[in-house]
Amino acid sequence: MNNNILVIGIAGGTGSGKTTLMRNLVAQLGDQATVISHDSYYKRHDDLTYEQRCRLNYDEPAAFDTSLMVYHLEQLRRGRAIDCPVYDFTIHNRTDATIHLEPKKVIIVEGILIFENQPLRDLMDIRIFVDTDADVRLCRRIKRDVTKRDRSLESVLMQYLQTVKPMHELYVEPSKRYADIVVPEGGKNVVALDMITGRIQRHLREVEDIQEAEEVCNTNP
């Protein structure tokens, strides 16, 4: 593995603010960071109709091709590029497209269940759990799914009660114990964001110091 690459995991329930925190970190890191989302690794279901795909449980570990994500993250940590799958939430299925991702100094891994899987979480150097009140998360999910994923209010509420809420209690909430940092209110927590950014910047400076030392050694054998 490339020890110069820092992998940060951001987990938490649906609508907790994971994406906001991730975007704020990327905004500060610029082209030094790349993001890989667990949502991209939902399993493909070409064998099912749209109506059948609508009834699947998308909030349990079995819904994801996590082994592929582990392999891709291992490749990124080794300094190798990957072709990340693309998932379309409007059709509940993976598309034929891929996104080419190059390894960067900082890799941010994001998803509701990324701490539930041990091989995946063991690849992370820093694990952050975003902890937000359930009512706030539900309101955010309704707004997101209706406006961005072409869902009806009724379907969002039904999915939340049937799978999202029970799976959160069964898998997501217990995975909080694996976090190094628990952040209340996600990306809106400025104090936590400053602390995390400071830790990342220290890592980047340490990498630069090591690289400069190696260059000196190579030019002065």
Side-chain angles (χ1 to χ4, degrees), residues 201-214:
Q201 295 297 346
R202 286 197 302 273
H203 168 80
L204 295 176
R205 287 194 296 269
E206 291 169 1
V207 170
E208 290 177 358
D209 291 343
I210 292 173
Q211 291 175 340
E212 289 176 359
E214 290 176 346

Side-chain angles (χ1 to χ4, degrees), residues 14-15 59 136-146 149 151 156 159-160 164:
T14 180
D59 294 271
V136 175
R137 291 190 290 104
L138 174 57
C139 291
R140 289 175 179 172
R141 183 180 179 104
I142 291 172
K143 182 179 179 180
R144 181 198 67 192
D145 285 5
V146 170
R149 298 182 178 177
R151 309 282 174 79
V156 175
Q159 185 180 27
Y160 181 82
V164 177

Side-chain angles (χ1 to χ4, degrees), residues 95-109:
T95 71
D96 293 328
T98 58
I99 296 177
H100 189 73
L101 295 180
E102 295 285 344
K104 301 289 182 67
K105 294 179 180 179
V106 178
I107 299 171
I108 301 175
V109 185

Side-chain angles (χ1 to χ4, degrees), residues 154-166:
E154 181 181 4
S155 70
V156 175
L157 291 174
M158 182 179 298
Q159 185 180 27
Y160 181 82
L161 293 174
Q162 290 182 347
T163 61
V164 177
K165 185 176 185 292

Side-chain angles (χ1 to χ4, degrees), residues 36-49:
I36 181 171
S37 173
H38 205 189
D39 284 356
S40 299
Y41 292 84
Y42 274 118
K43 291 179 179 176
R44 190 163 196 148
H45 291 290
D46 294 336
D47 56 320
L48 302 179
T49 65

